[in-house]
């Protein structure tokens, strides 16, 4: 059963490459490296969810949360080495995936949502990188004003209020309003990394940071777990936060 899910999840990714994935103006600013200090890491560790599941290395988030002060400095050295060398321990690229049923037929593996459990240490560094990317994009006004998802201070309610305002504006003036709504199935799983990396470069992400992100996304493996049984490791495209903000 676990192998069946693994094979189904691994077929979702699309490798189609458009000729020009970056069709907007290139930004001249640059974010090429990150400096990660113990205070920043201690904050991330303290904010870990105590009820989160353990990753593939069987180390519970509570350990990092309650030992944040002691672990902040050694982790800062480890993260600094990773960012400067643009490399990652192989264990950081292994994830356990648990299928969670969504809707329709239970007999179809694609009707299950793959929940990826990654190593806590890797997840902490990923959060720091994502926060830096988000700050850079926000400060330089590189995100569309119409984007509300994955942005601090914005919510679904904001989007609904804006849409409601636009609709009522035209209805009050006797105009007809048509809406076209899209729901992208498995949107983040379908993010093509060969498209995303040039797009990040176009937005000003460069140097060792861009190389680190590329290496972070390459060669990832997942092992699906179902009722205690595990699949053979297969290539993984889902399970990280970076595609969500790009």
């Amino acid at each position: 059963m676990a192998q069946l899910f693994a094979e189904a999840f691994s077929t979702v990714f699309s490798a189609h490459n458009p000729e020009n994935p970056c069709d907007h103006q290139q930004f001249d600013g640059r974010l090429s490296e990150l400096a990660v200090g113990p205070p920043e890491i201690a904050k991330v560790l303290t904010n870990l969810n105590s009820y989160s599941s353990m990753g593939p290395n069987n180390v519970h988030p509570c350990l990092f949360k309650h030992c944040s002060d002691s672990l902040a400095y050694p982790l800062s050295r480890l993260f600094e080495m990773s960012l400067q060398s643009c490399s990652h321990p192989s264990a950081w690229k292994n994830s356990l995936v648990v299928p969670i049923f969504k809707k329709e037929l239970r007999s179809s593996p694609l009707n299950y949502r793959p929940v990826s459990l990654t190593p806590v240490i890797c997840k902490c560094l990923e959060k720091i990188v994502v926060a830096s990317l988000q700050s850079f994009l926000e400060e330089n006004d590189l995100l569309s004003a119409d984007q509300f998802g994955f942005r601090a201070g914005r919510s679904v309610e904001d989007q609904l209020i804006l849409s409601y305002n636009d609709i009522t504006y035209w209805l009050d003036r006797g105009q007809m309003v048509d809406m076209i709504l899209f729901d992208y199935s498995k949107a983040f799983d379908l993010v093509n990394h060969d498209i995303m990396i040039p797009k990040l470069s176009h937005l000003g992400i460069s140097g060792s940071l861009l190389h680190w992100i590329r290496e972070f996304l390459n060669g990832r493996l997942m092992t699906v777990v179902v009722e205690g049984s595990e699949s053979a490791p297969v290539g993984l495209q889902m399970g990280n936060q970076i595609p969500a903000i790009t």
Side-chain angles (χ1 to χ4, degrees):
M1 181 68 72
Q3 190 63 34
L4 181 65
F5 276 105
E7 293 172 358
F9 292 155
S10 65
T11 61
V12 172
F13 178 69
S14 172
H16 172 68
N17 293 325
E19 294 183 1
N20 182 19
C22 303
D23 56 357
H24 52 276
Q25 184 176 359
Q26 183 166 351
F27 180 63
D28 293 331
R30 287 291 179 266
L31 177 63
S32 59
E33 58 184 13
L34 296 181
V36 183
E40 186 178 7
I41 294 174
K43 182 179 179 180
V44 172
L45 295 176
T46 302
N47 290 332
L48 287 173
N49 187 347
S50 300
Y51 299 99
S52 295
S53 300
M54 295 184 293
N57 54 5
N58 294 322
V59 180
H60 201 279
C62 282
L63 174 64
F64 295 93
K65 185 180 182 72
H66 295 301
C67 300
S68 58
D69 291 337
S70 300
L71 293 174
Y73 176 74
L75 285 181
S76 71
R77 298 289 295 146
L78 177 63
F79 291 171
E80 182 181 8
M81 291 175 60
S82 174
L83 290 167
Q84 290 180 352
S85 64
C86 304
S87 61
H88 311 74
S90 58
W92 288 9
K93 295 191 174 187
N94 298 326
S95 302
L96 293 180
V97 173
V98 179
I100 303 297
F101 178 69
K102 295 187 299 183
K103 58 182 179 179
E104 299 180 359
L105 295 176
R106 288 183 176 271
S107 58
S108 173
L110 294 180
N111 289 333
Y112 290 74
R113 179 168 61 93
V115 176
S116 184
L117 306 178
T118 57
V120 178
I121 294 180
C122 180
K123 189 182 300 182
C124 290
L125 180 53
E126 185 182 356
K127 287 182 178 180
I128 293 172
V129 172
V130 168
S132 298
L133 291 176
Q134 288 176 324
S135 296
F136 177 79
L137 296 174
E138 292 283 2
E139 291 171 1
N140 292 284
D141 198 25
L142 294 174
L143 298 177
S144 169
D146 297 324
Q147 178 180 335
F148 287 81
F150 303 98
R151 299 183 68 178
R154 297 194 177 204
S155 65
V156 174
E157 288 78 9
D158 295 327
Q159 179 68 78
L160 291 174
I161 291 173
L162 181 63
S163 299
Y164 179 80
N165 180 72
D166 290 341
I167 293 171
T168 54
Y169 175 87
W170 291 110
L171 290 179
D172 289 344
R173 286 157 178 76
Q175 301 296 317
M176 180 180 295
V177 177
D178 295 325
M179 296 183 66
I180 301 177
L181 306 177
F182 293 94
D183 181 11
Y184 290 96
S185 177
K186 305 184 186 303
F188 299 134
D189 297 344
L190 290 171
V191 172
N192 190 316
H193 299 161
D194 291 332
I195 297 175
M196 189 184 74
I197 294 299
K199 182 177 180 180
L200 286 173
S201 176
H202 218 68
L203 292 172
I205 312 303
S206 62
S208 60
L209 178 57
L210 184 64
H211 290 301
W212 185 92
I213 294 174
R214 181 187 291 112
E215 176 62 23
F216 175 80
L217 295 172
N218 287 336
R220 303 183 67 85
L221 297 174
M222 68 173 176
T223 299
V224 178
V225 180
V226 178
E227 297 179 351
S229 64
E230 296 184 357
S231 71
V234 296
L236 170 69
Q237 298 295 341
M238 75 285 289
N240 49 70
Q241 306 170 54
I242 295 176
I245 64 172
T246 58

